Amino acid sequence: MTQQQIAPHVEQLRLQLKESLLLDFDEYGLAEQFMGEFNSTFIGVGLNTAFQPIYDSEAGDLYGHEALLRPSLGNELASTPEFAFTYAEQAGKLVEFDRASRTLHVLNFRQIYAENGLLFLNVHPKLLISVNAHGKVFERILHANSVPTSRVVIEIQEGLVEQDKQLAEAINNYRERGYQIAIDRFGSEQSHIGRLWKFSPDFVKLDLNLIQKAENNERVRKVLPGLIKMIQDIGAKPVITGIETQTQLDIAIETGSTLFQGYFLAKPVTAKELQPSALFKRRTTKSNIRVAA
């Protein structure tokens, strides 16, 4: 797309980002795919946003969305976020790459909710220590798009952060700015159970392998309700992720949790493709929840 072909509102957005975020989206190739939905290109990597809903069975509605990066090489060959971030790190552009990705997520999040719903965002472990400088820049795009920090949940995979002090400082800095905190992939081999009491997160997202193991392992199935209660007792909301079958959903409901995420409920799609009103049949009792056909 040439400079002459860029829509006026997109050009205005580029200027705003360049001024407030120190992001030159001529270099990043910001483009509008659909009305109000954007993608970008940076260091040869195409960047797109996909959103996966988190469902609240108690309210019978969507609770929020996790933003997921969908990178591609040369805008053709699909890649993984892990590869893309490693590539950006090796190019010395990790901070800029993360900043561009988060910006896209926020711009595209506007298409889902006007004033409601939470946005769950993953944070690269190596960027936790840069929350002061890097975090302040990110806040500007939130404010510019009328998304308060209280609607943003920062997902931290604590098992990848060795130092408690570093993790505590990052969590405190995010909290001081109004963000909510989620411990991600809890229950993996790298998890530290003592950190739940130490850091008191707002959410604890269980490792996706737990619910999948529970489907075929009676011992895991019996342990899950106790784990959910422990999380609730510290004042956090448990989120069971990785639900891929009706049986797994039934097991998840039996644990006492009410927040669920997984391919069986909804696959990650663009904001334009989300159809929240058609995803679920609402029931008066949680035990009778079924996904709409």
PDB file of all heavy atoms in Angstrom, residues 127-156:
ATOM      1  N   LEU A 127      11.027  -9.281  29.544  1.00  0.00           N
ATOM      2  CA  LEU A 127      10.602  -7.887  29.525  1.00  0.00           C
ATOM      3  C   LEU A 127       9.963  -7.461  30.843  1.00  0.00           C
ATOM      4  O   LEU A 127       9.564  -6.308  30.987  1.00  0.00           O
ATOM      5  CB  LEU A 127       9.618  -7.651  28.377  1.00  0.00           C
ATOM      6  CG  LEU A 127      10.203  -7.824  26.975  1.00  0.00           C
ATOM      7  CD1 LEU A 127       9.125  -7.634  25.922  1.00  0.00           C
ATOM      8  CD2 LEU A 127      11.343  -6.851  26.738  1.00  0.00           C
ATOM      9  N   LEU A 128       9.877  -8.363  31.794  1.00  0.00           N
ATOM     10  CA  LEU A 128       9.284  -8.002  33.082  1.00  0.00           C
ATOM     11  C   LEU A 128      10.071  -6.892  33.779  1.00  0.00           C
ATOM     12  O   LEU A 128       9.499  -6.005  34.401  1.00  0.00           O
ATOM     13  CB  LEU A 128       9.225  -9.235  33.996  1.00  0.00           C
ATOM     14  CG  LEU A 128       8.098 -10.224  33.713  1.00  0.00           C
ATOM     15  CD1 LEU A 128       8.262 -11.460  34.588  1.00  0.00           C
ATOM     16  CD2 LEU A 128       6.748  -9.582  33.941  1.00  0.00           C
ATOM     17  N   ILE A 129      11.399  -6.949  33.660  1.00  0.00           N
ATOM     18  CA  ILE A 129      12.222  -5.965  34.366  1.00  0.00           C
ATOM     19  C   ILE A 129      12.134  -4.581  33.727  1.00  0.00           C
ATOM     20  O   ILE A 129      12.531  -3.595  34.334  1.00  0.00           O
ATOM     21  CB  ILE A 129      13.701  -6.407  34.408  1.00  0.00           C
ATOM     22  CG1 ILE A 129      14.241  -6.612  32.974  1.00  0.00           C
ATOM     23  CG2 ILE A 129      13.871  -7.667  35.227  1.00  0.00           C
ATOM     24  CD1 ILE A 129      15.715  -6.926  32.929  1.00  0.00           C
ATOM     25  N   SER A 130      11.600  -4.504  32.507  1.00  0.00           N
ATOM     26  CA  SER A 130      11.500  -3.206  31.843  1.00  0.00           C
ATOM     27  C   SER A 130      10.097  -2.629  31.963  1.00  0.00           C
ATOM     28  O   SER A 130       9.676  -1.821  31.149  1.00  0.00           O
ATOM     29  CB  SER A 130      11.879  -3.333  30.360  1.00  0.00           C
ATOM     30  OG  SER A 130      11.014  -4.241  29.698  1.00  0.00           O
ATOM     31  N   VAL A 131       9.363  -3.050  33.009  1.00  0.00           N
ATOM     32  CA  VAL A 131       7.984  -2.604  33.148  1.00  0.00           C
ATOM     33  C   VAL A 131       7.894  -1.100  33.355  1.00  0.00           C
ATOM     34  O   VAL A 131       6.941  -0.462  32.934  1.00  0.00           O
ATOM     35  CB  VAL A 131       7.290  -3.357  34.314  1.00  0.00           C
ATOM     36  CG1 VAL A 131       7.954  -3.044  35.641  1.00  0.00           C
ATOM     37  CG2 VAL A 131       5.813  -3.010  34.355  1.00  0.00           C
ATOM     38  N   ASN A 132       8.882  -0.474  33.985  1.00  0.00           N
ATOM     39  CA  ASN A 132       8.811   0.970  34.220  1.00  0.00           C
ATOM     40  C   ASN A 132       8.810   1.753  32.915  1.00  0.00           C
ATOM     41  O   ASN A 132       7.884   2.492  32.612  1.00  0.00           O
ATOM     42  CB  ASN A 132       9.978   1.412  35.114  1.00  0.00           C
ATOM     43  CG  ASN A 132       9.677   1.185  36.583  1.00  0.00           C
ATOM     44  OD1 ASN A 132       8.591   1.481  37.047  1.00  0.00           O
ATOM     45  ND2 ASN A 132      10.640   0.641  37.295  1.00  0.00           N
ATOM     46  N   ALA A 133       9.878   1.610  32.116  1.00  0.00           N
ATOM     47  CA  ALA A 133       9.974   2.363  30.867  1.00  0.00           C
ATOM     48  C   ALA A 133       9.044   1.792  29.803  1.00  0.00           C
ATOM     49  O   ALA A 133       8.258   2.514  29.186  1.00  0.00           O
ATOM     50  CB  ALA A 133      11.413   2.358  30.376  1.00  0.00           C
ATOM     51  N   HIS A 134       9.116   0.492  29.589  1.00  0.00           N
ATOM     52  CA  HIS A 134       8.327  -0.167  28.559  1.00  0.00           C
ATOM     53  C   HIS A 134       6.837  -0.081  28.895  1.00  0.00           C
ATOM     54  O   HIS A 134       5.994   0.156  28.018  1.00  0.00           O
ATOM     55  CB  HIS A 134       8.776  -1.619  28.447  1.00  0.00           C
ATOM     56  CG  HIS A 134       8.180  -2.373  27.310  1.00  0.00           C
ATOM     57  ND1 HIS A 134       7.925  -1.813  26.074  1.00  0.00           N
ATOM     58  CD2 HIS A 134       7.771  -3.671  27.207  1.00  0.00           C
ATOM     59  CE1 HIS A 134       7.409  -2.721  25.268  1.00  0.00           C
ATOM     60  NE2 HIS A 134       7.293  -3.854  25.938  1.00  0.00           N
ATOM     61  N   GLY A 135       6.512  -0.251  30.182  1.00  0.00           N
ATOM     62  CA  GLY A 135       5.118  -0.219  30.603  1.00  0.00           C
ATOM     63  C   GLY A 135       4.481   1.144  30.437  1.00  0.00           C
ATOM     64  O   GLY A 135       3.318   1.261  30.063  1.00  0.00           O
ATOM     65  N   LYS A 136       5.230   2.199  30.699  1.00  0.00           N
ATOM     66  CA  LYS A 136       4.687   3.549  30.548  1.00  0.00           C
ATOM     67  C   LYS A 136       4.331   3.832  29.104  1.00  0.00           C
ATOM     68  O   LYS A 136       3.311   4.467  28.809  1.00  0.00           O
ATOM     69  CB  LYS A 136       5.711   4.574  31.050  1.00  0.00           C
ATOM     70  CG  LYS A 136       5.862   4.609  32.557  1.00  0.00           C
ATOM     71  CD  LYS A 136       6.916   5.620  32.975  1.00  0.00           C
ATOM     72  CE  LYS A 136       7.100   5.626  34.482  1.00  0.00           C
ATOM     73  NZ  LYS A 136       8.170   6.572  34.903  1.00  0.00           N
ATOM     74  N   VAL A 137       5.179   3.375  28.192  1.00  0.00           N
ATOM     75  CA  VAL A 137       4.895   3.581  26.771  1.00  0.00           C
ATOM     76  C   VAL A 137       3.622   2.847  26.379  1.00  0.00           C
ATOM     77  O   VAL A 137       2.767   3.385  25.659  1.00  0.00           O
ATOM     78  CB  VAL A 137       6.079   3.103  25.913  1.00  0.00           C
ATOM     79  CG1 VAL A 137       5.721   3.136  24.434  1.00  0.00           C
ATOM     80  CG2 VAL A 137       7.302   3.971  26.165  1.00  0.00           C
ATOM     81  N   PHE A 138       3.453   1.624  26.867  1.00  0.00           N
ATOM     82  CA  PHE A 138       2.267   0.842  26.516  1.00  0.00           C
ATOM     83  C   PHE A 138       0.995   1.491  27.048  1.00  0.00           C
ATOM     84  O   PHE A 138      -0.054   1.448  26.398  1.00  0.00           O
ATOM     85  CB  PHE A 138       2.402  -0.578  27.054  1.00  0.00           C
ATOM     86  CG  PHE A 138       1.188  -1.434  26.808  1.00  0.00           C
ATOM     87  CD1 PHE A 138       0.753  -1.680  25.512  1.00  0.00           C
ATOM     88  CD2 PHE A 138       0.489  -1.985  27.863  1.00  0.00           C
ATOM     89  CE1 PHE A 138      -0.364  -2.465  25.282  1.00  0.00           C
ATOM     90  CE2 PHE A 138      -0.632  -2.766  27.636  1.00  0.00           C
ATOM     91  CZ  PHE A 138      -1.060  -3.004  26.346  1.00  0.00           C
ATOM     92  N   GLU A 139       1.075   2.122  28.213  1.00  0.00           N
ATOM     93  CA  GLU A 139      -0.108   2.757  28.783  1.00  0.00           C
ATOM     94  C   GLU A 139      -0.661   3.843  27.876  1.00  0.00           C
ATOM     95  O   GLU A 139      -1.870   4.091  27.852  1.00  0.00           O
ATOM     96  CB  GLU A 139       0.224   3.354  30.148  1.00  0.00           C
ATOM     97  CG  GLU A 139       0.218   2.325  31.262  1.00  0.00           C
ATOM     98  CD  GLU A 139       0.556   2.959  32.599  1.00  0.00           C
ATOM     99  OE1 GLU A 139       0.045   4.056  32.880  1.00  0.00           O
ATOM    100  OE2 GLU A 139       1.350   2.355  33.342  1.00  0.00           O
ATOM    101  N   ARG A 140       0.200   4.485  27.135  1.00  0.00           N
ATOM    102  CA  ARG A 140      -0.262   5.571  26.276  1.00  0.00           C
ATOM    103  C   ARG A 140      -1.230   5.079  25.212  1.00  0.00           C
ATOM    104  O   ARG A 140      -2.199   5.755  24.888  1.00  0.00           O
ATOM    105  CB  ARG A 140       0.942   6.258  25.621  1.00  0.00           C
ATOM    106  CG  ARG A 140       1.833   6.982  26.615  1.00  0.00           C
ATOM    107  CD  ARG A 140       3.059   7.563  25.927  1.00  0.00           C
ATOM    108  NE  ARG A 140       4.007   8.088  26.905  1.00  0.00           N
ATOM    109  CZ  ARG A 140       5.306   8.139  26.719  1.00  0.00           C
ATOM    110  NH1 ARG A 140       5.825   7.693  25.588  1.00  0.00           N
ATOM    111  NH2 ARG A 140       6.100   8.636  27.643  1.00  0.00           N
ATOM    112  N   ILE A 141      -0.948   3.888  24.659  1.00  0.00           N
ATOM    113  CA  ILE A 141      -1.859   3.368  23.645  1.00  0.00           C
ATOM    114  C   ILE A 141      -3.175   2.938  24.281  1.00  0.00           C
ATOM    115  O   ILE A 141      -4.249   3.052  23.673  1.00  0.00           O
ATOM    116  CB  ILE A 141      -1.223   2.203  22.857  1.00  0.00           C
ATOM    117  CG1 ILE A 141      -2.093   1.852  21.641  1.00  0.00           C
ATOM    118  CG2 ILE A 141      -1.023   0.977  23.709  1.00  0.00           C
ATOM    119  CD1 ILE A 141      -2.273   2.967  20.648  1.00  0.00           C
ATOM    120  N   LEU A 142      -3.137   2.455  25.525  1.00  0.00           N
ATOM    121  CA  LEU A 142      -4.377   2.112  26.225  1.00  0.00           C
ATOM    122  C   LEU A 142      -5.228   3.356  26.432  1.00  0.00           C
ATOM    123  O   LEU A 142      -6.430   3.368  26.128  1.00  0.00           O
ATOM    124  CB  LEU A 142      -4.061   1.467  27.576  1.00  0.00           C
ATOM    125  CG  LEU A 142      -3.433   0.077  27.563  1.00  0.00           C
ATOM    126  CD1 LEU A 142      -3.061  -0.350  28.979  1.00  0.00           C
ATOM    127  CD2 LEU A 142      -4.367  -0.946  26.938  1.00  0.00           C
ATOM    128  N   HIS A 143      -4.607   4.411  26.951  1.00  0.00           N
ATOM    129  CA  HIS A 143      -5.346   5.646  27.205  1.00  0.00           C
ATOM    130  C   HIS A 143      -5.866   6.252  25.912  1.00  0.00           C
ATOM    131  O   HIS A 143      -6.996   6.761  25.860  1.00  0.00           O
ATOM    132  CB  HIS A 143      -4.457   6.649  27.939  1.00  0.00           C
ATOM    133  CG  HIS A 143      -4.036   6.196  29.304  1.00  0.00           C
ATOM    134  ND1 HIS A 143      -4.861   5.465  30.121  1.00  0.00           N
ATOM    135  CD2 HIS A 143      -2.876   6.377  29.994  1.00  0.00           C
ATOM    136  CE1 HIS A 143      -4.231   5.205  31.264  1.00  0.00           C
ATOM    137  NE2 HIS A 143      -3.029   5.740  31.206  1.00  0.00           N
ATOM    138  N   ALA A 144      -5.065   6.186  24.860  1.00  0.00           N
ATOM    139  CA  ALA A 144      -5.477   6.768  23.578  1.00  0.00           C
ATOM    140  C   ALA A 144      -6.693   6.046  23.010  1.00  0.00           C
ATOM    141  O   ALA A 144      -7.453   6.628  22.224  1.00  0.00           O
ATOM    142  CB  ALA A 144      -4.320   6.715  22.581  1.00  0.00           C
ATOM    143  N   ASN A 145      -6.897   4.787  23.404  1.00  0.00           N
ATOM    144  CA  ASN A 145      -8.019   4.014  22.896  1.00  0.00           C
ATOM    145  C   ASN A 145      -9.083   3.752  23.961  1.00  0.00           C
ATOM    146  O   ASN A 145      -9.917   2.858  23.818  1.00  0.00           O
ATOM    147  CB  ASN A 145      -7.517   2.695  22.319  1.00  0.00           C
ATOM    148  CG  ASN A 145      -6.779   2.892  21.015  1.00  0.00           C
ATOM    149  OD1 ASN A 145      -7.386   2.964  19.952  1.00  0.00           O
ATOM    150  ND2 ASN A 145      -5.458   2.999  21.088  1.00  0.00           N
ATOM    151  N   SER A 146      -9.027   4.547  25.035  1.00  0.00           N
ATOM    152  CA  SER A 146     -10.037   4.495  26.100  1.00  0.00           C
ATOM    153  C   SER A 146     -10.161   3.118  26.736  1.00  0.00           C
ATOM    154  O   SER A 146     -11.254   2.665  27.076  1.00  0.00           O
ATOM    155  CB  SER A 146     -11.398   4.952  25.557  1.00  0.00           C
ATOM    156  OG  SER A 146     -11.320   6.267  25.049  1.00  0.00           O
ATOM    157  N   VAL A 147      -9.030   2.438  26.877  1.00  0.00           N
ATOM    158  CA  VAL A 147      -8.998   1.155  27.571  1.00  0.00           C
ATOM    159  C   VAL A 147      -8.252   1.359  28.895  1.00  0.00           C
ATOM    160  O   VAL A 147      -7.032   1.509  28.903  1.00  0.00           O
ATOM    161  CB  VAL A 147      -8.290   0.066  26.741  1.00  0.00           C
ATOM    162  CG1 VAL A 147      -8.253  -1.257  27.515  1.00  0.00           C
ATOM    163  CG2 VAL A 147      -8.981  -0.129  25.403  1.00  0.00           C
ATOM    164  N   PRO A 148      -8.944   1.406  30.022  1.00  0.00           N
ATOM    165  CA  PRO A 148      -8.259   1.594  31.301  1.00  0.00           C
ATOM    166  C   PRO A 148      -7.403   0.390  31.652  1.00  0.00           C
ATOM    167  O   PRO A 148      -7.709  -0.743  31.257  1.00  0.00           O
ATOM    168  CB  PRO A 148      -9.404   1.780  32.296  1.00  0.00           C
ATOM    169  CG  PRO A 148     -10.574   1.099  31.666  1.00  0.00           C
ATOM    170  CD  PRO A 148     -10.403   1.272  30.185  1.00  0.00           C
ATOM    171  N   THR A 149      -6.346   0.614  32.400  1.00  0.00           N
ATOM    172  CA  THR A 149      -5.466  -0.488  32.785  1.00  0.00           C
ATOM    173  C   THR A 149      -6.206  -1.537  33.612  1.00  0.00           C
ATOM    174  O   THR A 149      -5.825  -2.704  33.617  1.00  0.00           O
ATOM    175  CB  THR A 149      -4.258   0.024  33.583  1.00  0.00           C
ATOM    176  OG1 THR A 149      -4.723   0.795  34.698  1.00  0.00           O
ATOM    177  CG2 THR A 149      -3.360   0.897  32.709  1.00  0.00           C
ATOM    178  N   SER A 150      -7.285  -1.152  34.280  1.00  0.00           N
ATOM    179  CA  SER A 150      -8.039  -2.101  35.100  1.00  0.00           C
ATOM    180  C   SER A 150      -8.715  -3.183  34.262  1.00  0.00           C
ATOM    181  O   SER A 150      -9.113  -4.222  34.783  1.00  0.00           O
ATOM    182  CB  SER A 150      -9.096  -1.357  35.925  1.00  0.00           C
ATOM    183  OG  SER A 150      -9.986  -0.652  35.077  1.00  0.00           O
ATOM    184  N   ARG A 151      -8.839  -2.937  32.958  1.00  0.00           N
ATOM    185  CA  ARG A 151      -9.440  -3.933  32.073  1.00  0.00           C
ATOM    186  C   ARG A 151      -8.394  -4.819  31.418  1.00  0.00           C
ATOM    187  O   ARG A 151      -8.722  -5.678  30.601  1.00  0.00           O
ATOM    188  CB  ARG A 151     -10.263  -3.234  30.990  1.00  0.00           C
ATOM    189  CG  ARG A 151     -11.592  -2.691  31.464  1.00  0.00           C
ATOM    190  CD  ARG A 151     -12.317  -1.987  30.336  1.00  0.00           C
ATOM    191  NE  ARG A 151     -12.550  -2.859  29.204  1.00  0.00           N
ATOM    192  CZ  ARG A 151     -12.841  -2.408  27.977  1.00  0.00           C
ATOM    193  NH1 ARG A 151     -12.892  -1.115  27.739  1.00  0.00           N
ATOM    194  NH2 ARG A 151     -13.054  -3.255  26.995  1.00  0.00           N
ATOM    195  N   VAL A 152      -7.132  -4.619  31.770  1.00  0.00           N
ATOM    196  CA  VAL A 152      -6.042  -5.405  31.189  1.00  0.00           C
ATOM    197  C   VAL A 152      -5.470  -6.345  32.241  1.00  0.00           C
ATOM    198  O   VAL A 152      -5.088  -5.908  33.328  1.00  0.00           O
ATOM    199  CB  VAL A 152      -4.933  -4.486  30.634  1.00  0.00           C
ATOM    200  CG1 VAL A 152      -3.787  -5.320  30.070  1.00  0.00           C
ATOM    201  CG2 VAL A 152      -5.501  -3.565  29.556  1.00  0.00           C
ATOM    202  N   VAL A 153      -5.426  -7.620  31.919  1.00  0.00           N
ATOM    203  CA  VAL A 153      -4.859  -8.629  32.815  1.00  0.00           C
ATOM    204  C   VAL A 153      -3.510  -9.052  32.247  1.00  0.00           C
ATOM    205  O   VAL A 153      -3.430  -9.570  31.127  1.00  0.00           O
ATOM    206  CB  VAL A 153      -5.777  -9.852  32.942  1.00  0.00           C
ATOM    207  CG1 VAL A 153      -5.168 -10.872  33.912  1.00  0.00           C
ATOM    208  CG2 VAL A 153      -7.165  -9.436  33.404  1.00  0.00           C
ATOM    209  N   ILE A 154      -2.455  -8.815  33.017  1.00  0.00           N
ATOM    210  CA  ILE A 154      -1.105  -9.181  32.602  1.00  0.00           C
ATOM    211  C   ILE A 154      -0.840 -10.626  33.004  1.00  0.00           C
ATOM    212  O   ILE A 154      -0.836 -10.972  34.182  1.00  0.00           O
ATOM    213  CB  ILE A 154      -0.056  -8.251  33.248  1.00  0.00           C
ATOM    214  CG1 ILE A 154      -0.322  -6.795  32.848  1.00  0.00           C
ATOM    215  CG2 ILE A 154       1.350  -8.677  32.859  1.00  0.00           C
ATOM    216  CD1 ILE A 154      -0.174  -6.518  31.367  1.00  0.00           C
ATOM    217  N   GLU A 155      -0.638 -11.487  32.010  1.00  0.00           N
ATOM    218  CA  GLU A 155      -0.366 -12.899  32.269  1.00  0.00           C
ATOM    219  C   GLU A 155       1.140 -13.121  32.401  1.00  0.00           C
ATOM    220  O   GLU A 155       1.900 -12.776  31.495  1.00  0.00           O
ATOM    221  CB  GLU A 155      -0.916 -13.771  31.143  1.00  0.00           C
ATOM    222  CG  GLU A 155      -2.428 -13.736  31.036  1.00  0.00           C
ATOM    223  CD  GLU A 155      -2.954 -14.819  30.103  1.00  0.00           C
ATOM    224  OE1 GLU A 155      -2.205 -15.776  29.807  1.00  0.00           O
ATOM    225  OE2 GLU A 155      -4.117 -14.710  29.676  1.00  0.00           O
ATOM    226  N   ILE A 156       1.544 -13.697  33.526  1.00  0.00           N
ATOM    227  CA  ILE A 156       2.956 -13.929  33.803  1.00  0.00           C
ATOM    228  C   ILE A 156       3.182 -15.418  34.029  1.00  0.00           C
ATOM    229  O   ILE A 156       2.551 -16.023  34.904  1.00  0.00           O
ATOM    230  CB  ILE A 156       3.420 -13.148  35.046  1.00  0.00           C
ATOM    231  CG1 ILE A 156       3.259 -11.637  34.813  1.00  0.00           C
ATOM    232  CG2 ILE A 156       4.867 -13.486  35.404  1.00  0.00           C
ATOM    233  CD1 ILE A 156       3.542 -10.805  36.043  1.00  0.00           C
TER     234      ILE A 156
END
